Amino acid sequence: MMTFLESRMSATDNATPLRFAINLGNAVLAKTLPDGQPGGITVEIAQKIAAEQGRVAQFIMYPTAGKVVDDATHDRWDVAFLAIDPKREEVLRFTQSYITIEGTVMVRENSNWQSVTEMDKPDVVINVGKGAAYDLFLSRELKHAALNRLASSQAAIDAFLDGEGDMAAGIRQPLESAVSNNRGFRVLPDNFGQIFQAICLPHAQDQLYGEISHYLNKWQENGAISEIINRNLAES
């Protein structure tokens, strides 16, 4: 039987907000709503996690994934949503992936580029968002092309639209959105890699990691995660 003191402590623990780092740099997974609050796939998953924990979700919004990782060891958030990457695993522990998205490139419409397999050539400059998953991936894989690192994924796209670089790398959906709003550009049909997005926690959060992994397994089996993803992608 729980003692009065234990009951008080449990109530206090449950009242402590669960802090979620929301990366607004990935427009597929998170966005700012008209009222200034965060919304999107990761926010809905965060709210489900907080409900399972009996705690209030507190959102700390970040402009880029790199800044989320930078704060991982400074106790500024409890749970985050990032792409799985070996470098990040030095400070973070990832669950299984809950969504897979494509990394590809946007080029000028009149260019000769037809495939991402042609991008790694001398004198080619590729705009990327600094610290993004595809920046980390291309940094390891490219041997000849140069990466032009901008402040965020959107900044990399904007710089390319303004004439900077030979192409812009990123996640397919935001690149295709940029093309639909700007004449003279196109997105290549193939991809240089699949980006596996997961929930992650600092290594010290062993118990919470196990609980969230259990929730995610359950939601993937019963279709709850698919419902959140498909509804949000249809609305975007």
Side-chain angles (χ1 to χ4, degrees):
M1 181 178 294
M2 185 178 292
T3 67
F4 174 75
L5 179 59
E6 289 171 335
S7 177
R8 286 286 296 255
M9 289 175 65
S10 176
T12 301
D13 288 344
N14 288 341
T16 303
L18 192 56
R19 302 168 299 171
F20 293 91
I22 302 298
N23 171 29
L24 295 175
N26 188 334
V28 176
L29 300 180
K31 59 189 175 183
T32 303
L33 301 175
D35 63 1
Q37 295 301 308
I41 293 170
T42 55
V43 172
E44 290 197 31
I45 295 174
Q47 290 167 337
K48 285 182 69 66
I49 293 171
E52 289 277 2
Q53 289 280 305
R55 297 166 70 178
V56 174
Q58 178 182 341
F59 300 113
I60 299 100
M61 291 181 277
Y62 286 85
T64 66
K67 294 188 181 299
V68 176
V69 178
D70 289 344
D71 277 355
T73 57
H74 294 97
D75 192 31
R76 291 177 182 149
W77 53 263
D78 301 305
V79 182
F81 303 85
L82 295 172
I84 299 171
D85 185 87
K87 182 67 176 175
R88 293 174 179 173
E89 288 178 328
E90 294 174 8
V91 294
L92 298 171
R93 190 175 181 189
F94 289 88
T95 65
Q96 70 271 31
S97 174
Y98 64 88
I99 185 174
T100 304
I101 53 183
E102 290 183 4
T104 187
V105 295
M106 176 171 63
V107 300
R108 295 179 180 86
E109 193 169 45
N110 61 1
S111 71
N112 294 322
W113 305 109
Q114 298 300 323
S115 169
V116 295
T117 59
E118 304 165 351
M119 64 194 293
D120 191 15
K121 295 181 178 180
D123 301 323
V124 172
V125 176
I126 305 169
N127 292 1
V128 297
K130 183 179 180 181
Y134 56 87
D135 173 24
L136 300 178
F137 175 82
L138 293 174
S139 296
R140 292 192 297 268
E141 297 298 319
L142 296 180
K143 306 301 181 186
H144 306 290
L147 296 178
N148 178 29
R149 294 183 174 87
L150 284 302
S152 67
S153 297
Q154 188 59 51
I157 293 172
D158 292 341
F160 183 62
L161 295 175
D162 289 338
E164 188 174 340
D166 297 299
M167 58 182 66
I171 295 165
R172 179 172 296 280
Q173 288 92 333
L175 293 177
E176 290 180 340
S177 177
V179 166
S180 69
N181 293 315
N182 295 274
R183 293 170 62 94
F185 300 90
R186 57 189 170 88
V187 178
L188 296 184
D190 53 357
N191 67 80
F192 56 75
Q194 293 183 319
I195 302 170
F196 299 95
Q197 296 283 338
I199 305 169
C200 58
L201 296 85
H203 284 299
Q205 294 271 27
D206 284 342
Q207 180 175 339
L208 185 57
Y209 171 85
E211 292 169 353
I212 290 175
S213 295
H214 171 72
Y215 304 153
L216 183 57
N217 278 328
K218 176 176 68 175
W219 297 333
Q220 287 179 317
E221 288 175 0
N222 66 21
I225 292 293
S226 294
E227 189 280 327
I228 291 173
I229 291 170
N230 294 336
R231 174 168 40 79
N232 276 273
L233 291 180
E235 294 171 355
S236 61

